[in-house]
Amino acid sequence: MISQNLSAIFYLVSGVLFILALRGLSSPETSRQGNLFGILGMIIAITVTFFSIGNFSSGFVFVLIFILIGGSIGAFIAYKIPMTAMPELVAGFHSLVGLAAVFVAIAAFLNPTAFNLGLPGNIKLGSLIEMSIGAAVGAITFSGSVIAFLKLQGIMSGSPITFKGQHPLNAVILVSIVVIIYLLCSTQSSNLFWILLAISFLIGFLLIIPIGGADMPVVISMLNSYSGWAAAGIGFTLENTALIITGALVGSSGAILSYIMCKGMNRSFFNVILGGFGATDDVSNKQTKEQRPVKSGNADDAAFLMKNASSVIIVPGYGMAVAQAQHALREMVDTLKKNDIKVSYAIHPVAGRMPGHMNVLLAEANVPYDEVFELEEINNDFANADVAFVIGANDVTNPVAKTDPQSPIYGMPVLDVEKCKSVLFVKRSLSPGYAGIDNDLFYKENTLMLFADAKKMTEDITKNL
Amino acid sequence: MEIDPLIFRLSIFILSIFVGYYVVWSVTPSLHTPLMSVTNAISSVIIVGAIIAGLSGDSKSVFNTSSIFGFLAIALAAINIFGGFLVTQRMLAMYKKKKKEKQ
């Protein structure tokens, strides 16, 4: 058994190691080392906890058994999961953090003596407040993440579920959560604690169902943030520095990512939260639809254009990942590079289904990361490039976002693809993208539409090069 | 009068939010997915609370209602810790610089 002070210092050390873990992610070279810092921090935190309790009886064996069970499941998932499924995985992981926070709060509520928080029915006021906040946020994270997971996995429809009186209902529930926490703290009633958990689960569920599939990047980031705040709440209850530091780090990380995603779509955070986006746009779309001429070509034309180019910019979108075309794409690029053509990739902030998703998918296909550029880095290069190859992306290239104030995506940062000498647009049909609007780029003079499956088209082009 | 220890914890919390803010802004956008998976893993340090709960049973009976919730939380957090760190490791291993010569 080690002293409280010594263990507090070790928890601080592990908190600092977690900061270094995130710091490592500032560049790919340092990132692997950062991850090791994170693992080290975790090992320190767990070991110190064992020593500070100093109870190596039969309970200790069970702790190890449960760590082993959870650990093997986690390791198995980590090695099996395809990179396209990362958003689902992260949503699933968030739900586990939320549920773990709820369970720890329940355990602390039932047996406060073990946590040094007072006696059952007479828990210290401060601890009870922290505990209920941690439990409520954890419950919201859990049920919200489960809905996000189901939507991403396609088990639940991605379209927003809205009903009359939705927002007032949510507001009433949120207010009642605050009231119940207040009552719980003044009465110490365990019934109120269970009611608090139940309605927190309910509100997490209700908050996510109206948010459409296209907004999932924001939702995942937001739930990431929630899981952090839940951990911090429990950290205050347990008076544990490592948990407080981590909770704050994760909380702000998720908040920043939500902000970046909202900015990438030019939506306000509240607009996303209130939901319903993508449900009403279909109507207006039908009215404005008109027949305009498009130029379409085949793999041969595309190969000819690219062979005569000196620089090509690839614009990948989520459709590329759906078609599993990333490996075929990289092979095409290899062939282009053999012909001394300069190739780079342009990634829009919301190109995938979660922050940075497209970068991971390209990295998996062995695309070196120094050929991949973010929107701000590469947008000026389109004017000097010969060919833009748009594959599986749509809304993020739509020039309407810059020209038409009436458009729902007006103001969204888009890639200036139309400034290229010629644009190759791989797409199955002329159907609109997530935002439900027509893309002006299809009808431009310098655009050649390649109607085909992304993977097949890319392979055919490579053959013709 | 002594300062309530809560104030110290609150100070750590607020300062950590600022540290988090600046550290996360310096994360390169191409690593945002690993950032999410690693934050997932580290937020599962909540396992320390679960361990305390799991070991709260007395010497006669390991299991009571509280410790059962503790054990369940240990398993959930462990899924996240192993899964989170390993999947992050797997992703980061794919980020390579210039391509090596083909064999």
Side-chain angles (χ1 to χ4, degrees):
Chain A
M1 185 139 175
I2 55 173
S3 81
Q4 290 271 329
N5 288 334
L6 190 58
S7 52
I9 288 177
F10 276 115
Y11 283 134
L12 183 61
V13 170
S14 82
V16 171
L17 285 168
F18 291 152
I19 296 176
L20 293 175
L22 300 194
R23 178 73 194 127
L25 290 171
S26 57
S27 89
E29 289 102 80
T30 55
S31 60
R32 283 171 281 258
Q33 190 196 27
N35 201 37
L36 294 179
F37 281 138
I39 296 172
L40 184 64
M42 189 61 72
I43 293 172
I44 291 177
I46 293 175
T47 318
V48 168
T49 311
F50 284 139
F51 280 107
S52 66
I53 302 172
N55 170 5
F56 291 97
S57 62
S58 50
F60 178 70
V61 179
F62 281 103
V63 171
L64 290 185
I65 291 174
F66 278 94
I67 290 182
L68 215 64
I69 295 173
S72 351
I73 298 173
F76 179 77
I77 297 173
Y79 282 111
K80 284 284 167 203
I81 194 89
M83 286 300 139
T84 38
M86 277 311 292
E88 290 95 308
L89 179 74
V90 168
F93 278 171
H94 287 153
S95 72
L96 298 183
V97 178
L99 197 58
V102 171
F103 284 171
V104 173
I106 294 176
F109 185 78
L110 294 175
N111 187 0
T113 340
F115 292 86
N116 239 338
L117 305 175
L119 299 164
N122 189 18
I123 301 171
K124 281 188 281 183
L125 178 64
S127 310
L128 193 55
I129 299 176
E130 294 153 3
M131 196 188 293
S132 10
I133 295 175
V137 180
I140 294 172
T141 311
F142 172 71
S143 51
S145 303
V146 168
I147 300 299
F149 176 82
L150 293 177
K151 284 197 172 193
L152 287 164
Q153 190 77 286
I155 298 171
M156 208 173 134
S157 153
S159 57
I161 298 168
T162 47
F163 54 87
K164 226 175 157 212
Q166 192 164 28
H167 300 314
L169 175 69
N170 290 350
V172 167
I173 296 178
L174 285 173
V175 171
S176 60
I177 286 181
V178 177
V179 173
I180 290 174
I181 291 181
Y182 174 78
L183 291 175
L184 173 64
C185 294
S186 46
T187 63
Q188 302 256 355
S189 148
S190 59
N191 285 339
L192 283 173
F193 185 73
W194 301 120
I195 294 174
L196 173 68
L197 286 181
I199 60 169
S200 302
F201 281 127
L202 181 68
I203 189 71
F205 171 76
L206 288 173
L207 281 175
I208 307 301
I209 53 167
I211 304 180
D215 287 335
M216 277 303 139
V218 182
V219 172
I220 300 180
S221 317
M222 191 178 81
L223 291 166
N224 186 237
S225 183
Y226 287 0
S227 71
W229 305 130
I234 302 297
F236 274 101
T237 321
L238 306 179
E239 309 183 346
N240 184 307
T241 329
L243 206 38
I244 294 176
I245 295 178
T246 315
L249 289 178
V250 178
S252 47
S253 162
I256 290 173
L257 291 176
S258 318
Y259 170 80
I260 294 175
M261 289 298 107
C262 285
K263 215 168 134 248
M265 297 191 289
N266 190 41
R267 311 266 312 277
S268 81
F269 188 67
F270 282 103
N271 185 285
V272 173
I273 298 300
L274 293 178
F277 187 74
T280 47
D281 294 356
D282 304 320
V283 191
S284 59
N285 182 47
K286 268 176 203 138
Q287 298 163 346
T288 54
K289 199 149 205 172
E290 55 191 294
Q291 288 295 321
R292 283 192 278 176
V294 292
K295 282 199 292 183
S296 75
N298 57 29
D300 208 15
D301 305 328
F304 178 78
L305 266 171
M306 283 204 262
K307 228 187 308 189
N308 292 304
S310 62
S311 71
V312 174
I313 299 179
I314 315 270
V315 181
Y318 189 68
M320 175 202 75
V322 174
Q324 290 292 326
Q326 54 269 46
H327 291 276
L329 179 67
R330 209 246 317 135
E331 274 162 33
M332 185 189 92
V333 170
D334 283 348
T335 320
L336 288 174
K337 281 197 283 193
K338 261 181 222 148
N339 294 323
D340 285 328
I341 299 165
K342 185 176 169 285
V343 186
S344 34
Y345 297 79
I347 310 275
H348 190 274
V350 290
R353 291 174 89 187
M354 71 184 285
H357 192 196
M358 194 51 63
N359 303 77
V360 174
L361 294 172
L362 290 176
E364 192 192 19
N366 284 322
V367 173
Y369 65 80
D370 41 10
E371 290 174 10
V372 181
F373 297 94
E374 305 300 320
L375 181 131
E376 296 89 29
E377 296 172 315
I378 202 167
N379 230 3
N380 292 328
D381 298 352
F382 279 107
N384 304 320
D386 297 312
V387 176
F389 187 74
V390 184
I391 175 166
N394 186 356
D395 293 333
V396 298
T397 62
N398 197 340
V400 153
K402 288 176 285 190
T403 52
D404 179 13
Q406 302 298 316
S407 164
I409 62 165
Y410 181 71
M412 176 172 118
V414 286
L415 293 157
D416 296 335
V417 174
E418 77 282 1
K419 289 190 182 149
C420 259
K421 288 199 191 75
S422 44
V423 179
L424 294 170
F425 211 117
V426 185
K427 211 170 175 310
R428 281 171 176 278
S429 68
L430 281 179
S431 62
Y434 259 140
I437 48 166
D438 216 8
N439 192 343
D440 262 3
L441 194 60
F442 298 163
Y443 314 105
K444 292 267 180 196
E445 190 60 24
N446 57 349
T447 304
L448 189 67
M449 298 298 293
L450 306 168
F451 293 112
D453 172 72
K455 187 177 179 188
K456 191 163 180 314
M457 176 53 77
T458 319
E459 284 166 353
D460 288 349
I461 294 174
T462 314
K463 270 180 223 148
N464 283 304
L465 275 170
Chain B
M1 207 182 94
E2 262 188 82
I3 300 173
D4 191 319
L6 176 67
I7 304 299
F8 288 116
R9 286 194 284 278
L10 202 61
S11 320
I12 293 173
F13 180 62
I14 303 288
L15 292 176
S16 301
I17 292 178
F18 278 91
V19 171
Y21 179 85
Y22 289 105
V23 169
V24 172
W25 271 118
S26 76
V27 171
T28 164
S30 65
L31 291 175
H32 276 162
T33 299
L35 171 68
M36 293 195 95
S37 60
V38 86
T39 51
N40 239 310
I42 65 173
S43 57
S44 301
V45 72
I46 202 159
I47 197 169
V48 302
I51 293 173
I52 298 173
L55 292 178
S56 64
D58 50 36
S59 48
K60 282 175 217 125
S61 64
V62 176
F63 293 101
N64 56 46
T65 338
S66 168
S67 74
I68 288 171
F69 277 110
F71 284 125
L72 290 176
I74 289 173
L76 295 179
I79 294 178
N80 248 330
I81 293 172
F82 283 77
F85 280 126
L86 290 174
V87 86
T88 309
Q89 195 76 9
R90 200 180 132 202
M91 277 191 273
L92 294 177
M94 300 186 305
Y95 281 80
K96 297 187 195 91
K97 235 188 154 96
K98 279 280 177 231
K99 208 178 305 131
K100 288 169 201 125
E101 287 298 308
K102 272 197 176 153
Q103 289 96 345

